[in-house]
Amino acid sequence: MSESKNVFVFCEQRDGLIAKVSIELIGKGRELADALGQKVVAVLLGHNIKDKAQLLIDHGADEVLVVDHEMLAEYVTEPYAKAMTHVIRTYRPEILLYGATAIGRDLAPRIAARIHTGLTADCTGLEIDPETKLLLMTRPAFGGNIMATIVCENHRPQMATVRPGVMKALDRMDRTGTVTEVPVDFKPEDMNVTIRSVVRETKHKTDITEAKILVSGGRGLGKPEGFEMLKELADALGGDISSSRAGVDAGWQPKDRQVGQTGKTVRPNLYIACGISGAIQHLAGMESSEYIIAINKDADAPIFDVADLGIVGDVYAIVPKLTEAVRKYKEAGRL
């Protein structure tokens, strides 16, 4: 453990595009590394991806370790796990962060098992204890009813996964750093599956984690047609729609529109919650929004506890009037 140092970030890429969550984690890694007086090291796995290293440096990494091999062109568990295990055993990180994506959730626990360390999943908070210098990993527990802070005292690296949108990325700056190619002795048997084809799903035109304005609906809408009303407001504002879990479970919206503990974490400039009661699982996904407006006929709904502006009333009476007002403001050039 005394040989462990630096904050490492597994930087996920698909088709050469760096995942947004990896940029966010580099930003958080910068904060943790500064508290420890250490470096931020990004780990980039793939094929012909060395040219992406500078992007990671510009967003806060001091060094980028690149494992470049044709076996890593598409994500496959075994070769990726072998490469990451080699990096960890060679460089001995103090902390290692992953995005809680489909890839991160598959890879991180396998690494934890191979190197015999702990893993805290779906963290919403990461910080360094000023006295012990341990990583304090905070995540919802017991269905989101409490927040648990977990430490990994006796094993290294201290590992955590973090969902996209939870941490804030640093602005891109002109920075200098080192790029090191790490050789890994891959063998044919490391590729234990055969990829016959890659089918890419056509999803919604935008990702709600990147939206600046979100109009979100919940159980209080009562019917799927309510989202058509919300879409009109979102279009007037230049935003997008999202949903609570209740709306997704009812089949009113697809899963990629879900905000909350079991959905996505968002931090738009404006979040309008329509007919959403505000269960703690939903709040975990949107309470970092810059400005929150809540519309609900229940004056005691928990959503009002986090709202900057609360409107008590029927969403079907309020939202159309709000949409009309927004359109008039735009026509008058006041919005």
Side-chain angles (χ1 to χ4, degrees):
M1 286 176 54
S2 62
E3 298 177 0
S4 300
K5 63 179 181 179
N6 299 326
V7 178
F8 281 48
V9 177
F10 168 71
C11 292
E12 180 181 327
Q13 59 82 26
R14 302 189 189 199
D15 296 330
L17 297 177
I18 303 297
K20 181 173 176 281
V21 67
S22 299
I23 302 299
E24 295 168 353
L25 289 180
I26 290 175
K28 187 62 181 183
R30 177 79 273 154
E31 177 187 324
L32 301 175
D34 290 345
L36 292 170
Q38 297 179 4
K39 298 192 302 182
V40 178
V41 180
V43 184
L44 184 59
L45 277 57
H47 186 44
N48 295 328
I49 39 80
K50 187 178 179 181
D51 61 323
K52 305 299 179 183
Q54 187 58 47
L55 172 67
L56 305 178
I57 293 171
D58 289 346
H59 279 286
D62 299 303
E63 182 178 1
V64 181
L65 302 178
V66 179
V67 183
D68 195 308
H69 194 277
E70 60 184 10
M71 204 175 283
L72 303 174
E74 296 285 349
Y75 177 77
V76 176
T77 302
E78 183 57 32
Y80 267 68
K82 179 173 182 175
M84 280 303 299
T85 301
H86 175 77
V87 168
I88 293 168
R89 289 175 174 166
T90 302
Y91 292 90
R92 297 183 179 277
E94 173 80 7
I95 294 169
L96 177 54
L97 307 178
Y98 306 80
T101 61
I103 289 176
R105 285 173 169 157
D106 178 67
L107 181 63
R110 296 172 187 272
I111 300 299
R114 293 188 185 199
I115 62 176
H116 306 290
T117 191
L119 173 67
T120 304
D122 286 348
C123 292
T124 57
L126 298 171
E127 59 182 278
I128 301 299
D129 187 301
E131 296 183 2
T132 65
K133 300 302 180 183
L134 290 171
L135 178 64
L136 303 179
M137 299 171 279
T138 302
R139 59 152 309 189
F142 294 101
N145 293 308
I146 65 170
M147 299 300 287
T149 298
I150 299 168
V151 295
C152 182
E153 293 183 311
N154 301 317
H155 300 276
R156 294 295 181 270
Q158 302 164 88
M159 299 208 309
T161 65
V162 181
R163 289 192 299 170
V166 173
M167 303 302 175
K168 188 174 181 180
L170 297 177
D171 293 334
R172 187 171 184 176
M173 300 177 289
D174 290 329
R175 301 180 72 253
T176 58
T178 59
V179 180
T180 305
E181 291 196 55
V182 180
V184 176
D185 183 23
F186 288 109
K187 294 178 169 52
E189 54 267 30
D190 292 329
M191 183 60 81
N192 57 351
V193 300
T194 300
I195 299 177
R196 296 191 178 277
S197 64
V198 178
V199 179
R200 308 207 181 280
E201 181 182 1
T202 301
K203 292 191 175 182
H204 197 276
K205 62 181 180 180
T206 57
D207 184 344
I208 61 172
T209 62
E210 299 180 4
K212 299 299 182 184
I213 297 174
L214 282 174
V215 181
S216 196
R219 191 190 311 276
L221 291 178
K223 53 187 177 182
E225 291 78 12
F227 280 94
E228 296 175 10
M229 175 184 68
L230 301 191
K231 183 68 166 59
E232 291 186 14
L233 175 57
D235 289 344
L237 290 167
D240 211 336
I241 60 170
S242 55
S243 175
S244 69
R245 179 173 178 173
V248 173
D249 287 349
W252 300 343
Q253 286 294 302
K255 176 69 174 178
D256 65 355
R257 299 283 96 192
Q258 182 179 330
V259 173
Q261 185 180 338
T262 55
K264 294 184 178 182
T265 300
V266 298
R267 50 170 76 236
N269 296 335
L270 174 62
Y271 188 88
I272 304 178
C274 305
I276 295 175
S277 63
I280 191 170
Q281 292 88 346
H282 184 75
L283 300 184
M286 48 66 72
E287 61 185 348
S288 294
S289 302
E290 187 171 329
Y291 197 87
I292 299 170
I293 297 175
I295 305 172
N296 200 298
K297 63 182 179 181
D298 180 4
D300 296 321
I303 191 70
F304 290 123
D305 294 335
V306 300
D308 297 285
L309 174 64
I311 304 173
V312 179
D314 184 354
V315 292
Y316 285 98
I318 295 169
V319 171
K321 292 181 179 179
L322 182 57
T323 303
E324 182 182 354
V326 169
R327 288 171 176 165
K328 287 182 177 179
Y329 266 72
K330 290 181 71 175
E331 290 171 2
R334 299 171 64 186
L335 185 64

